[in-house]
Amino acid sequence: MSTSLYIHIPWCLHKCSYCDFYSLPSASDAVPGSGYVDRLIEEINVSAINGTLHSIFLGGGTPSMIAPSDLGRLLNSISKKYDMPSEITLEANPETLNESVLRELRAVGFTRLSCGVQSFDAGQLQFLERVHSADKARDALRAASRAGFENRNLDLIYTLPSQTMADLENDLHDAIALEPTHISAYQLIVEPGTPLERKVESGDVTLPDEEIAIAMWHRVRKILGEAGYTAYEVSNFAQPGFECIHNVHYWECGDYLGIGTGAVSRIGQHRWRRARNTKSYMMGELHVDQEEYLTDQEMRTEVCMLGLRMTCGLDLERFESRFGKSFESFYPGRIAAWKEKGLATGDSHLQLTPSGMLLLDSLVSELV
Ligand code: SF4
């Protein structure tokens, strides 16, 4: 049994127009990084992870707004309590990085860097309200390589307003030219309550329709595949051996503990969220603002929904040992029906074909 550790850092220099993560806009010098890390260390010291630590992921927000020395203190405290895993990821944004910072981050123990680039098009970066330029993103990725980050992810967003297929191809080729070992390419989602939603609802912004979005998804897979990045999940691509251990653990429905304000944990069927209240967290209060116990059926649905996102598919043997009965017993005839329609394949693993992946939500809704 192993558990992954997620640590949330809740600050960003600026709130991007599409973002619904828990992040607070703040100037770098106003972030109470050292005090926040003290609270994180206290929370880690009272945590109780059974078994080994599978991976560590610092996400946000913009974790790279915290000084490397403070992040080093944090990793050092974790290492006193748990054996350190091989993959320790830091999410970062280009505007906070330079070669000397990256060398420090590598030296204090981070083994993987995940950099939010989103686009190389100046107009799209402005639309997304990113605070970095395309050149700054290029500099950051190149500096990460020189600083010894062999394992580097680059995040892209597509299906942007007025984005053409040629624009998308340019973004992909720009990303590939930087030789990251991993690329996450997500379609732009209009999240409720964001400025983006208001712009779409008012008609100020029009996003590509579904047909174009599907064509773009296929083009992303083709171009990245030809460049040596295998699609191992709906939106994630890696060179061989560089799949994200932390995210695969999520998709396999492994346990994870979330530390820090707003962080979500799920251990077995118990899921809870540390309160989204940084002020009280800074005072050492560990409140929970959401909590639920998943029913067996909810857990099965979650295992299917996440497992089927992966190209390797849902491990049917593991499913059976987890739930005591086979997938076929719970959902008789589903596998055969999906295979007949060309939506699924595989024997020991139930794998969705690209056409099946595009229907993932609707296929999982059949699992009742
Ligand atoms: S940098 Fe990331 S976490 Fe911060 S506001 Fe933008 S999308 Fe959200």
Side-chain angles (χ1 to χ4, degrees), residues 24-41:
L24 311 165
S26 172
S28 300
D29 54 8
V31 168
S34 191
Y36 186 70
V37 165
D38 290 342
R39 299 289 89 74
L40 290 174
I41 291 171

Side-chain angles (χ1 to χ4, degrees), residues 12 14-16 18-19 21 23 60-62 93 130:
C12 289
H14 175 79
K15 189 82 184 169
C16 304
Y18 56 93
C19 177
F21 298 127
S23 70
T62 304
N93 281 312
R130 303 291 298 178

